[in-house]
Amino acid sequence: MISTQRTFSGSSPSQSPRSPSGQPFLSVSVTDPVKLGNGVQAYISYRVMSKTNMPEYQGQEKIVIRRYSDFVWLRDRLADKFKGIFIPPLPEKSAVEKFRFSAEFIEMRRQALDVFINRVASHTELKQSEDLRIFLQEDEETMERTRSQETGIFKKKPSEFMQIFKEVQSKVSDVVLGKEKPVEESSPEYEKLKHYIFELEDHLAEAQKQAFRLVKRHRELGQSLSDFGKAIKLLGACEGESLGKAFSELGSKSEMISMKLQKEAHNLLMNFEEPLKDYVRAVQSIKVTMTDRANAFRQHYELAETIRLKEINLDKLTLMRSDRAGEAEIEFRELKTESEEATRRYETIVKLMNEELARFQEQKTAELGLAFHEFAKGQAKLSHDIADAWRSLLPKLGVSS
Amino acid sequence: MMDHEESRYNFEPPSPREEMETLPLADGPLAAVPVDGSGGGDPLLHPLQFDSPFSFSSSSPTRTSSFAEPPSNAKGVSLQATESPKGSIHLSPRRKSGEDSDYLKITVSDPQKELESTVSLVPGAGTFVSYLITTRTRASDLSGSPQEFSVRRRFRDVVTLADRIAESYRGFVIPPRPDKSVVESQVMHKQEFVEQRRSALEKYLYKLAEHPVIGKSDELRVFLQAAGKFPLPATTDMASRVLDGAVRLPKQFFSSGEAGSGYVAAPQDVVQPAKGGRDLLRMFKELKQSVANDWGGAKPSVVEEDKTYLERKERVLELEQHLSTASQQAEALVKAQQDMSETMGELGLAFLKLGKFESEEFVCDSQRIRAADYKHLATAAVRASRAYRESNSLAMKHLDKLHEYYGLMLAVHHAFSDRASALVTLQTLLSDLSSLRLREEKLEAASSKIFGSERTRSRKLEELKETIIVTEDAKSIAFKEYERIKENNKSELDRLDKERHEDFLAMIKGYIVNQAGYAEKIAGVWTQVAGETNRYANGTD
């Protein structure tokens, strides 16, 4: 079976652990999907095996059992902590119940999860995440406990809570002050980038849709060819002699080619349609980062505004030798720290985004190029096999090919 | 075939049959001349039916030489054949039998709206569409060059032609004629429908001309060559035309004796089935006979015993079933290939747009490279899509043979039922005869014992003897007809088998060669892209 053939920045999964003095290295694989549980609560579990030489990790090799929601937990933690970085996308939750346990869906999901965890493990910043270590090394009970803890809204840390409150506050004040439109950064380059990302998603979605349809067409053609072959064989049975034989050959070959079509349909799905889908998800992940950037920008901007006003106020109070000057001074200093932090956060995101973008473009060209290569190879082989199959019949029919 | 042509060139005094064959046709300078009472106004009602199917065929040269004027100069008919947009059909021999066809080329073109000569009460029903039919006949040794004929015909004429052929060629597998339209007047004038009909007519005439026997028929010749209005009436059933079936009944009631005893089937009527004619009483009797056949009682003296025929019929029915399935699956296959072509094309289009987008918006090198990759893939996909489409339309033409032969099954059923109804006619006459003879015996026995009323009895006896003679005649005619139809059945089934074998073998070969060729072309397209993207392969190739 075809294992992940995507290229990643960073180490390849098959390298053996180097000595501690070498580059920090982490390789992961997701394998062996197993159905666990019963009825409505049934789910698929995966075997996650990791090898590393990083000192933060306990031991060099570890195998754990994880399920899809564990991956979701990891992705959410990373998204929270590493703003500015394009978090690798996860495969979607299944919308349709009956697909959840189909072999094809499970294999597609396994492949996508494997790609996800490897991208995380290869990313210079993300691989340092403590959450990643927990995910890769903690036992299953701890994992489950950790996961359920973090998903409750009331479990959020106080500072995060305050941040949400402030965001709401600023939105409300905007409305009150008549500033309906949220503040946005407006550099022409960033505008261009935003426009590019949004349009790219549309184009890619269309391409992915057609790719998925092409998979379906292969399956349908395979099915009709098989039905046709059967009908032709029956027809041949009641014609005799050379015609009967010819029909029988035609029918058998049709059935054989039908199977090749089904195989190619699967190949197309895994190695062409999935990469395209993955590309779409990646673009959506970029949009999340863009939202983070917008939020960070707004905070930075608003705090800067607030600081300005507070400074004016403080100067006034100082001049007036008011008692409140001392208080105001302390408040001012606190706000200034916050504002500097907000500005720093925003600038980090901008810097990270630029780096990420460059890496993203290169990665995508390579991954897509490989997908195209696989696509072309698969189609070429299919057509060659079909041509050979038909040609092999011709001498039997007395035709010189 | 050749023997007949030679006998014509011997210039013997024409036998009565030949005289009738060389009858000039109705209309214009070629007035119809009825030769005998039963000929009526139908120039083609001649004793063709009583001979074996292959002996009456006559070649064109004799005919044309006896006409006052060659039909091609008949009034008002334009000689310019307007080439139909789809091209005319040449009877180029796709098999050996086609080589013998009298006709080289038949074209149907130039549909025109015309007004009915009789005014109709229904509005919109006063018009019909006529088609120009141009024919080129094979060059004969006698006249030296091929002849061209142009006539105008309407669809109703085609129906007549088909009906007449069905009457004359019982037991044959007759190519089915194009369908009538259910909603006549509304649909009739639409461009598409007219074009469909035109094309269907052309194919139908071609099929008729190609038939080794029907292609040489007078009916077809008259249809293709007689200028002006199509002269053939709809049916040869003279009695039903002269006297309505209903009008006949009183005559029967007037005859003495048991009801229906005075009624006798006119001998030549028995060459047509009772069903569908207007001879109600004969229909009734034959129906009685078939019921008697089905529900037991005395076994009729002549039955369908030919085991070979029955086995063959079984095989034909089995073939029909499988043809139906194969025909359906072929259609589904063609559709699936069509869908493949379309989706491949749309994929190519999506990638073209992507490529254009990336090359317009790029800020870094990798985007530019990716844009080029998109374009390569898109071009290949579009080329592959085109190849799939071309391959498919050729495949459709090949696989059409399956539909064609499935369609022919109906004609085979007609041929079988011709045989069955001829048998019923024969059986009816035989049972008539036996009951008549029984009465004759009784009367003769009575005359030797009972005295008195001798005159009436002897008159009755005489009438009875006359009836018996006439019925005997009818019986031998019906018997010959039945035997003839049996022969037709067999030779036609043989011909059908042979032609079907040839056609299907050609279909298979054509289909396979087509599929292989295009598959290779498509493989080439993708191999090129695989080469162009080879640098992305991570060494696992």
Side-chain angles (χ1 to χ4, degrees), chain A residues 86 193 196-197 200 279 286 355-367, chain B residues 358 361-367 370:
Chain A
F86 302 155
L193 177 68
Y196 168 78
I197 291 295
L200 181 63
Y279 199 165
I286 296 179
E355 288 168 11
E356 287 284 290
L357 266 170
R359 192 184 331 186
F360 169 74
Q361 295 287 32
E362 272 196 38
Q363 240 179 19
K364 278 311 169 196
T365 301
E367 285 171 10
Chain B
E358 291 277 21
E361 307 255 346
F362 81 94
V363 289
C364 60
D365 258 356
S366 51
Q367 275 175 290
R370 201 182 327 137

Side-chain angles (χ1 to χ4, degrees), chain B residues 96-147:
Chain B
K96 207 166 167 299
S97 53
E99 288 171 345
D100 297 334
S101 173
D102 285 348
Y103 304 102
L104 287 177
K105 191 167 101 165
I106 300 180
T107 317
V108 177
S109 58
D110 190 30
Q112 301 275 4
K113 235 195 267 190
E114 291 186 30
L115 283 172
E116 293 266 19
S117 48
T118 55
V119 175
S120 158
L121 286 174
V122 181
T127 60
F128 62 90
V129 179
S130 73
Y131 302 85
L132 181 68
I133 303 181
T134 322
T135 311
R136 185 182 299 152
T137 59
R138 179 175 298 277
S140 63
D141 298 351
L142 212 52
S143 43
S145 57
Q147 289 195 293

Side-chain angles (χ1 to χ4, degrees), chain B residues 202-246:
Chain B
E202 213 171 64
K203 290 201 184 96
Y204 172 61
L205 292 174
Y206 164 57
K207 284 254 155 21
L208 287 181
E210 232 202 4
H211 193 288
V213 174
I214 298 179
K216 304 188 189 299
S217 67
D218 296 326
E219 288 89 346
L220 183 62
R221 186 180 50 84
V222 168
F223 181 89
L224 291 176
Q225 298 178 11
K229 245 172 71 125
F230 186 46
L232 293 185
T235 171
T236 56
D237 187 351
M238 290 311 306
S240 69
R241 267 188 281 135
V242 173
L243 291 166
D244 239 41

Side-chain angles (χ1 to χ4, degrees), chain A residues 5 196 210 213 217 221 224 227 239 279 361 365 368-370 373 377 379 383 390-391 393 397 399, chain B residues 329 336-337 343 346 358 366-367 370 374 500 509 512 515 519-520 522 526 530 533-534 536 538 541:
Chain A
Q5 296 185 353
Y196 168 78
Q210 298 300 346
R213 259 201 220 146
R217 299 297 184 217
L221 184 58
S224 339
D227 293 339
E239 298 273 23
Y279 199 165
Q361 295 287 32
T365 301
L368 216 52
L370 179 63
H373 180 70
K377 244 181 37 175
Q379 291 289 299
S383 292
W390 288 131
R391 288 229 187 276
L393 274 190
L397 298 175
V399 177
Chain B
Q329 297 302 355
Q337 290 189 146
T343 302
E346 300 199 330
E358 291 277 21
S366 51
Q367 275 175 290
R370 201 182 327 137
Y374 279 135
R500 195 180 63 249
K509 282 181 199 163
I512 289 178
Q515 294 289 101
E520 262 170 25
I522 292 171
W526 291 119
T533 52
N534 205 23
Y536 295 111
N538 45 6
D541 281 359

Side-chain angles (χ1 to χ4, degrees), chain A residues 66-326:
Chain A
R66 295 287 181 255
R67 55 186 291 186
Y68 178 74
S69 355
D70 297 328
F71 285 84
V72 175
W73 169 88
L74 177 61
R75 194 270 314 272
D76 291 344
R77 302 295 302 154
L78 293 174
D80 198 51
K81 300 229 171 88
F82 290 88
K83 295 213 192 295
I85 290 181
F86 302 155
I87 308 299
L90 273 180
E92 296 86 3
K93 270 180 80 63
S94 171
V96 183
E97 183 59 36
K98 68 173 178 175
F99 273 154
R100 271 207 304 143
F101 297 111
S102 81
E104 197 171 73
F105 176 77
I106 290 172
E107 174 53 24
M108 272 168 57
R109 179 171 271 196
R110 186 210 61 78
Q111 185 173 298
L113 290 176
D114 187 283
V115 167
F116 165 78
I117 202 73
N118 270 285
R119 281 182 176 149
V120 172
S122 322
H123 194 287
T124 32
E125 275 90 4
L126 293 179
K127 81 201 298 174
Q128 314 286 354
S129 155
E130 167 65 11
D131 294 312
L132 177 64
R133 193 205 60 77
I134 294 173
F135 178 87
L136 289 176
Q137 301 213 311
E138 292 301 325
D139 61 69
E140 284 72 26
E141 289 92 14
T142 315
M143 186 70 238
E144 196 178 326
R145 220 181 330 121
T146 318
R147 176 167 45 93
S148 15
Q149 265 180 5
E150 303 286 345
T151 48
I153 187 163
F154 299 107
K155 305 288 185 354
K156 278 206 190 299
K157 292 203 279 262
S159 61
E160 289 173 24
F161 216 22
M162 275 312 290
Q163 195 168 349
I164 296 172
F165 183 68
K166 279 197 184 132
E167 282 177 32
V168 173
Q169 196 184 36
S170 64
K171 281 205 185 78
V172 170
S173 64
D174 280 349
V175 173
V176 165
L177 293 172
K179 281 194 289 173
E180 294 286 356
K181 189 167 183 274
V183 178
E184 275 177 13
E185 61 185 292
S186 54
S187 77
E189 277 156 17
Y190 190 57
E191 280 303 308
K192 192 164 176 236
L193 177 68
K194 276 200 284 185
H195 172 258
Y196 168 78
I197 291 295
F198 274 79
E199 261 210 55
L200 181 63
E201 188 186 6
D202 288 340
H203 281 123
L204 283 175
E206 173 68 19
Q208 183 261 327
K209 189 172 88 169
Q210 298 300 346
F212 185 71
R213 259 201 220 146
L214 192 66
V215 172
K216 207 160 68 126
R217 299 297 184 217
H218 276 70
R219 291 207 168 117
E220 288 164 359
L221 184 58
Q223 186 60 49
S224 339
L225 202 52
S226 166
D227 293 339
F228 175 73
K230 288 197 179 72
I232 288 293
K233 274 158 92 170
L234 282 176
L235 190 58
C238 61
E239 298 273 23
E241 318 148 15
S242 59
L243 181 61
K245 210 164 142 286
F247 270 140
S248 158
E249 302 273 3
L250 177 65
S252 302
K253 269 299 178 245
S254 300
E255 288 179 319
M256 190 256 260
I257 290 175
S258 155
M259 293 197 301
K260 289 196 195 286
L261 278 163
Q262 298 293 358
K263 221 170 123 212
E264 174 63 11
H266 182 76
N267 179 38
L268 267 179
L269 185 69
M270 303 301 273
N271 297 316
F272 181 63
E273 194 264 348
E274 258 303 287
L276 281 173
K277 196 123 139 266
D278 176 70
Y279 199 165
V280 175
R281 293 184 197 127
V283 171
Q284 287 164 346
S285 171
I286 296 179
K287 282 164 84 176
V288 169
T289 304
M290 282 164 61
T291 310
D292 289 343
R293 173 166 167 161
N295 287 340
F297 175 78
R298 217 188 42 245
Q299 275 175 21
H300 138 86
Y301 181 83
E302 280 165 3
L303 276 171
E305 275 295 296
T306 315
I307 286 289
R308 206 167 47 82
L309 295 170
K310 286 277 191 248
E311 191 161 29
I312 294 169
N313 196 35
L314 181 65
D315 290 340
K316 220 185 345 174
L317 288 175
T318 315
L319 278 173
M320 283 169 23
R321 295 184 193 281
S322 155
D323 322 320
R324 283 182 299 152

Side-chain angles (χ1 to χ4, degrees), chain A residues 224-225 227-229 231-232 235, chain B residues 320-336 399-404 406:
Chain A
S224 339
L225 202 52
D227 293 339
F228 175 73
I232 288 293
L235 190 58
Chain B
E320 179 178 3
Q321 201 190 357
H322 291 134
L323 260 180
S324 161
T325 319
S327 168
Q328 276 171 23
Q329 297 302 355
E331 231 181 275
L333 178 63
V334 162
K335 172 151 194 315
L399 294 178
D400 211 43
K401 272 278 164 271
L402 290 168
H403 307 320
E404 208 183 285
Y406 179 59

